[in-house]
Amino acid sequence: MKIAKESKEPYLRGISETLAEQFKESTLCTLVKKDKDLLACIRNNAISIYHLADKVAMVHLNRKGELLCNVNDFYMSGKHTGEEHQYKIEEICTKIKDIKANSLSRGTSEKKAQHTLVSKNNSNFDSEWFCVDIEYRQSFIVQKLIHQKFNGRFDIIAVSKGTPHRVAIIELKYNSSAIAGTSGIVKHIMDFKTFSQNPECLENLRREIVCQLHNLHQIGVNIPERLLEQPFDFSEKIEFYVITLWDNNSKQNPKETMGRYLFNDLRENWGGKTSACVSKKNAMKEVEIDVENNPPFSIRFLFKKVQNPTNFNIDDILQETLYDYVL
């Protein structure tokens, strides 16, 4: 079986074999594997450590070939200094309880749900998808190369285990209050449009996925064998999804709220009752896209009411039968 190698492009996500080997043998790697609240993600010559989808450390090699972690002062001391310092792996492991507690103090329901979705999905051997990355964004070098600044960040990147391998870009909303605002659904639709219309962005994402899967395998993550084989047969189109979870704290019906910010008219499927419900800044008006009528990219909306951000029975992230509504 031919296996993909690390990225040769300095601006694409990928790590060297040296970094992968040293991290795999480290006490921090062992800790991440044992702790269900921690997750390691591949970056550009570095490995990000997340606690409930909150980045708490960045692991890299210094010029001497030693493993070091960049950590914001807040996670080590609980004090907001706006600075970060470097620590040895052993120091991070010793302080991990404090790091997690400080991270938890600034955590959000949406971040907790994001981690839970990825963790449950990737722990399910029979899931259709594998989540490759969270908090994904392309580098500023890529943005310069395509002559159009794209600074969007996507919550989850997933790839199907079956061939041809489908790629899913997923945004997550938790409760109705997350749907509006500068980081709400209108911004997501705008980012989907920009990203999908740039072939360079799409091609770089595909190349990064292949590299990340190999790197994750190198550091001991259990990657399905089908996702390590080469050549990697990708589906032609990238798919976009918006997952909305809500609990009893949601002040409004999220499906209705989503419709208010997607359309400039009433849509029966979305439960809007009066024209006053429609937001003045909706996706149809701001982005000129009607997601129900021939949008320029594939998009699906999945909704589910849950008990809380870490307690729900979705173990196959895009399996539509596990959701209450799919539009």
Side-chain angles (χ1 to χ4, degrees):
M1 178 175 67
K2 185 179 179 182
I3 300 294
K5 300 300 181 183
E6 67 269 14
S7 173
K8 301 300 182 183
E9 303 292 345
Y11 51 84
L12 296 182
R13 295 187 177 200
I15 60 175
S16 67
E17 291 190 11
T18 303
L19 174 54
E21 291 171 0
Q22 289 202 32
F23 179 75
K24 184 178 180 181
E25 298 302 319
S26 72
T27 52
L28 181 57
C29 184
T30 301
L31 185 62
V32 171
K33 290 178 182 177
K34 290 182 178 179
D35 193 324
K36 64 180 180 62
D37 292 336
L38 297 177
L39 179 70
C41 292
I42 304 301
R43 296 294 176 257
N44 181 21
N45 296 321
I47 301 169
S48 278
I49 306 300
Y50 288 87
H51 171 252
L52 298 178
D54 178 32
K55 187 179 74 174
V56 297
M58 185 78 85
V59 185
H60 63 93
L61 291 174
N62 65 10
R63 292 182 179 180
K64 296 181 180 180
E66 301 169 325
L67 279 181
L68 291 177
C69 294
N70 287 7
V71 183
N72 187 286
D73 287 349
F74 172 75
Y75 296 111
M76 298 295 283
S77 67
K79 297 179 180 179
H80 293 280
T81 68
E83 298 180 354
E84 64 178 28
H85 292 89
Q86 292 186 345
Y87 300 88
K88 292 183 178 180
I89 291 289
E90 294 75 20
E91 295 176 273
I92 301 303
C93 294
T94 301
K95 294 278 290 184
I96 194 64
K97 288 186 178 180
D98 293 334
I99 292 172
K100 290 175 61 176
N102 291 328
S103 169
L104 195 61
S105 72
R106 68 184 297 272
T108 65
S109 295
E110 189 165 293
K111 287 287 189 181
K112 295 174 185 176
Q114 179 184 2
H115 176 87
T116 303
L117 274 170
V118 171
S119 179
K120 283 179 174 288
N121 179 87
N122 287 1
S123 298
N124 179 13
F125 178 82
D126 296 321
S127 63
E128 182 181 359
W129 297 82
F130 183 83
C131 297
V132 183
D133 201 4
I134 64 172
E135 300 300 307
Y136 173 86
R137 71 185 307 170
Q138 295 203 330
S139 75
F140 289 107
I141 297 178
V142 169
Q143 296 171 22
K144 291 178 181 178
L145 288 175
I146 64 176
H147 306 293
Q148 180 176 353
K149 189 171 184 178
F150 175 78
N151 58 5
R153 186 192 302 269
F154 299 128
D155 287 336
I156 302 170
I157 303 295
V159 60
S160 69
K161 296 175 183 177
T163 55
H165 298 294
R166 299 154 59 197
V167 175
I169 292 177
I170 304 168
E171 286 291 347
L172 173 67
K173 302 276 103 180
Y174 194 89
N175 284 340
S176 57
S177 58
I179 295 171
T182 56
S183 298
I185 188 60
V186 175
K187 174 66 163 57
H188 296 328
I189 299 299
M190 191 177 301
D191 286 344
F192 291 169
K193 178 182 179 182
T194 302
F195 197 85
S196 66
Q197 291 179 347
N198 279 284
E200 295 90 347
C201 283
L202 303 178
E203 181 57 27
N204 283 333
L205 173 58
R206 292 186 178 102
R207 292 161 66 190
E208 286 181 318
I209 286 173
V210 174
C211 183
Q212 286 177 294
L213 288 167
H214 172 59
N215 289 156
L216 290 170
H217 175 67
Q218 285 181 306
I219 66 173
V221 176
N222 186 20
I223 305 295
E225 189 171 301
R226 288 173 292 173
L227 294 178
L228 295 171
E229 297 176 352
Q230 292 293 301
F232 206 90
D233 181 21
F234 278 110
S235 178
E236 182 178 351
K237 293 183 179 180
I238 288 180
E239 304 167 29
F240 296 88
Y241 292 84
V242 179
I243 295 175
T244 303
L245 306 179
W246 78 97
D247 56 31
N248 288 330
N249 293 319
S250 186
K251 296 180 180 180
Q252 298 174 317
N253 183 307
K255 187 158 66 78
E256 292 182 10
T257 304
M258 187 72 73
R260 288 174 51 200
Y261 287 91
L262 285 174
F263 310 109
N264 59 12
D265 56 357
L266 296 179
R267 298 296 170 94
E268 181 178 353
N269 289 339
W270 300 83
K273 297 178 181 178
T274 66
S275 58
C277 290
V278 176
S279 170
K280 293 181 179 179
K281 291 189 176 182
N282 58 71
M284 283 183 67
K285 186 177 294 184
E286 300 293 319
V287 196
E288 299 182 340
I289 287 179
D290 183 342
V291 297
E292 281 195 325
N293 294 308
N294 298 315
F297 47 81
S298 172
I299 184 168
R300 299 282 277 175
F301 295 83
L302 287 67
F303 298 85
K304 185 176 182 64
K305 186 173 183 180
V306 299
Q307 192 167 4
N308 60 58
T310 60
N311 187 0
F312 48 82
N313 63 345
I314 302 172
D315 61 357
D316 197 346
I317 192 166
L318 297 176
Q319 175 54 253
E320 296 185 356
T321 59
L322 299 178
Y323 291 86
D324 298 334
Y325 308 101
V326 179
L327 296 168

